[in-house]
């Protein structure tokens, strides 16, 4: 049987013991265990207080107060210890973490898209020949995409089938030729420009058709520009780009904004004109349409066709990239497929 003073002593002893034990605790798990053993439902304080039943009401009250006080004090000590251990844990974790911002990456992440790679390459070749790079809007007015380029009002290319129209009556440019007259309005001849850019067609997609693709328009305006200049510039560009001598030929082609208009073919680079699968055994590969700028287009750009002449060409940039890397499906470009992109 316990009496008042022995219970009081037990409580005081417990306080002392627990404070000693707390000093030794190194982990949160052990702290939790000690807490359960001391302040928990089946803990030591509860154990001690079981003997209250043997005491007088006054003694009970006093011990009760002492016990509550002790609980408060110990709870506080546990809280402080917990804080201390948590801090220690964070410190340890941080000290193990190491981040060297200057360390070279093991694997190259992020790269230039194959379309951009070739665009930059083509730009460099033309810059070396004295061309400047121009840009134009992708959301365009009918007059720059069609009207000023000598398209008649009933030209089939204006058909809703081919062109994306906005509700406000703008369109998404269907070709980079839309920048021709814009350039003429800004630049004074003579000038030589290229315009790489994104174009849009409202059409079914398949391996060689995409509703969004890339073209590179070229234009030179000067005095007495002839087809010979066009052929020379094209041959120089193509030989530099493909790093071998390239034989070209012109066939007649119709485009409203050039007269005469041509389709420029290159002799097949795979079989040197002998005939193979790539050129479908014809020895030639159709590469780009071009021509001498139609006088009506020069006029639309406020350039006097009696004084100035020029040539223009429209290169399929997407197509060029496909040829360079033997890519079989144009839809890969905008697929966002990492496995495709990682090859370049
Ligand atoms: N803009 C034409 C198209 O996308 C291509 C073209 C043909 C551009 C003849 C030209 C050119 O500059 O002279 O189909």
């Amino acid at each position: 049987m316990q009496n008042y003073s022995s219970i009081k002593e037990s409580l005081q002893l417990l306080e002392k013991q627990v404070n000693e034990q707390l000093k030794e605790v190194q982990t949160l798990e052990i702290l939790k265990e000690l807490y359960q053993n001391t302040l928990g439902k089946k803990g030591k304080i509860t154990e001690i207080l079981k003997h209250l039943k043997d005491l007088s009401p006054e003694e009970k009250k006093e011990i009760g107060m002492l016990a509550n006080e002790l609980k408060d004090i110990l709870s506080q000590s546990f809280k402080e210890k917990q804080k201390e251990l948590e801090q220690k844990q964070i410190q340890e974790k941080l000290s193990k973490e190491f981040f060297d911002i200057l360390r070279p990456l093991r694997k190259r992440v992020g790269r230039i898209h194959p379309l951009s790679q070739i665009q930059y390459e083509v730009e460099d070749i033309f810059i070396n020949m004295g061309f400047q790079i121009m840009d134009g809007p992708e959301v365009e007015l009918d007059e720059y995409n069609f009207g000023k380029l000598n398209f008649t009002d009933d030209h089939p290319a204006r058909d809703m089938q081919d062109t994306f129209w906005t509700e406000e009556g703008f369109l998404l440019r269907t070709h980079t030729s839309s920048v021709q007259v814009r350039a003429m309005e800004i630049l004074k001849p003579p000038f030589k420009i290229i315009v790489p850019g994104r174009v849009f067609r409202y059409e079914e997609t398949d391996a060689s058709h995409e509703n969004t693709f890339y073209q590179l328009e070229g234009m030179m305006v000067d005095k007495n520009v002839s087809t010979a200049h066009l052929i020379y510039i094209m041959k120089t560009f193509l030989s530099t780009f493909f790093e071998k001598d390239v034989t070209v030929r012109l066939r007649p082609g119709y485009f409203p904004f050039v007269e005469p208009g041509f389709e420029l073919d290159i002799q097949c680079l795979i079989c040197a004109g002998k005939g193979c699968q790539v050129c479908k055994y014809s020895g030639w590969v159709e590469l780009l349409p071009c021509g001498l700028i139609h006088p009506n287009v020069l006029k639309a750009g406020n350039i006097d066709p009696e004084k100035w002449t020029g040539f223009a060409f429209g290169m399929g940039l997407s197509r060029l990239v496909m040829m360079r890397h033997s890519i079989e499906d144009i839809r890969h470009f905008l697929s966002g497929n990492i496995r495709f992109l990682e090859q370049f």
Side-chain angles (χ1 to χ4, degrees):
M1 197 170 104
Q2 298 252 1
N3 61 28
Y4 171 79
S5 42
S6 68
I7 296 178
K8 195 173 162 186
E9 239 166 64
S10 302
L11 287 175
Q12 281 164 346
L13 189 67
L14 181 68
E15 181 178 2
K16 230 171 133 193
Q17 270 176 353
V18 172
N19 277 329
E20 286 302 313
Q21 282 170 315
L22 272 176
K23 278 188 207 151
E24 303 298 317
V25 174
Q26 298 288 348
T27 68
L28 286 165
E29 290 76 37
I30 294 178
L31 183 71
K32 200 172 161 192
E33 211 180 295
L34 183 60
Y35 182 89
Q36 298 291 359
N37 289 341
T38 312
L39 292 159
K41 259 190 203 151
K42 291 178 185 160
K44 293 221 174 90
I45 293 187
T46 317
E47 195 64 34
I48 295 170
L49 294 181
K50 272 185 188 158
H51 303 290
L52 277 181
K53 59 180 183 343
D54 307 327
L55 303 182
S56 70
E58 259 93 88
E59 286 173 335
K60 271 186 194 163
K61 199 175 156 197
E62 206 161 311
I63 292 288
M65 271 162 61
L66 274 178
N68 282 339
E69 227 170 80
L70 179 61
K71 277 184 193 168
D72 287 347
I73 292 171
L74 288 180
S75 296
Q76 191 55 34
S77 304
F78 272 99
K79 260 192 208 145
E80 275 162 23
K81 187 71 189 182
Q82 187 183 352
K83 237 192 207 160
E84 181 193 315
L85 289 176
E86 279 169 354
Q87 287 287 344
K88 202 173 120 203
Q89 214 175 39
I90 293 171
Q91 291 291 345
E92 271 169 15
K93 213 174 143 199
L94 283 178
S95 71
K96 277 188 208 138
E97 249 175 45
F98 175 71
F99 187 66
D100 178 0
I101 52 164
L102 294 176
R103 195 187 70 189
L105 291 173
R106 228 179 307 134
K107 190 167 167 252
R108 204 156 55 112
V109 289
R111 55 199 71 205
I112 299 174
H113 193 282
L115 271 164
S116 305
Q117 284 177 25
I118 296 233
Q119 181 186 321
Y120 301 155
E121 207 180 298
V122 172
E123 283 176 3
D124 281 346
I125 298 173
F126 279 103
I127 286 170
N128 282 337
M129 292 194 284
F131 283 72
Q132 346 173 21
I133 300 174
M134 280 199 70
D135 205 356
E138 291 177 345
V139 179
E140 194 42 291
L141 298 167
D142 177 287
E143 51 183 308
Y144 287 107
N145 198 79
F146 295 127
K148 291 179 191 238
L149 289 176
N150 203 33
F151 281 82
T152 50
D153 283 343
D154 56 356
H155 195 282
R158 286 172 179 263
D159 200 307
M160 296 297 282
Q161 295 294 309
D162 297 315
T163 310
F164 286 110
W165 293 90
T166 71
E167 281 169 6
E168 299 83 1
F170 299 111
L171 54 79
L172 298 188
R173 67 176 177 195
T174 59
H175 52 185
T176 43
S177 305
S178 61
V179 186
Q180 284 192 12
V181 173
R182 286 190 177 277
M184 290 175 193
E185 287 173 352
I186 295 169
L187 304 171
K188 280 208 163 29
F191 59 79
K192 301 198 283 286
I193 62 155
I194 52 165
V195 183
R198 216 158 45 146
V199 301
F200 310 87
R201 301 263 171 101
Y202 183 47
E203 53 185 14
E204 295 271 356
T205 60
D206 61 31
S208 45
H209 294 90
E210 179 56 296
N211 50 36
T212 304
F213 55 101
Y214 289 76
Q215 287 188 334
L216 186 131
E217 192 80 7
M219 185 167 65
M220 169 173 173
V221 176
D222 204 329
K223 292 203 166 115
N224 302 315
V225 173
S226 70
T227 310
H229 295 104
L230 168 64
I231 295 174
Y232 175 78
I233 294 282
M234 290 297 96
K235 268 193 82 153
T236 309
F237 162 70
L238 294 167
S239 308
T240 315
F241 181 79
F242 289 112
E243 292 176 321
K244 47 171 113 169
D245 258 343
V246 173
T247 309
V248 304
R249 76 172 184 193
L250 293 182
R251 285 179 293 118
Y254 173 73
F255 304 94
F257 40 98
V258 279
E259 179 56 39
F262 308 107
E263 290 287 353
L264 184 143
D265 301 338
I266 56 171
Q267 198 172 60
C268 182
L269 297 169
I270 308 291
C271 64
K274 290 189 192 72
C276 68
Q277 248 179 338
V278 171
C279 61
K280 300 194 187 85
Y281 302 96
S282 71
W284 296 91
V285 178
E286 191 178 319
L287 194 69
L288 56 93
C290 51
L292 297 184
I293 302 171
H294 197 290
N296 288 350
V297 178
L298 289 167
K299 272 189 229 158
N302 299 319
I303 292 176
D304 182 356
E306 301 290 332
K307 253 169 96 181
W308 304 96
T309 49
F311 68 72
F313 60 89
M315 196 147 56
L317 210 54
S318 305
R319 181 114 187 282
L320 209 61
V321 181
M322 291 171 80
M323 282 174 70
R324 161 74 71 84
H325 296 299
S326 306
I327 296 167
E328 78 302 346
D329 194 324
I330 192 172
R331 291 169 294 189
H332 286 313
F333 288 134
L334 301 179
S335 65
N337 182 345
I338 300 282
R339 288 203 304 136
F340 168 74
L341 293 171
E342 273 175 351
Q343 301 174 86
F344 303 96

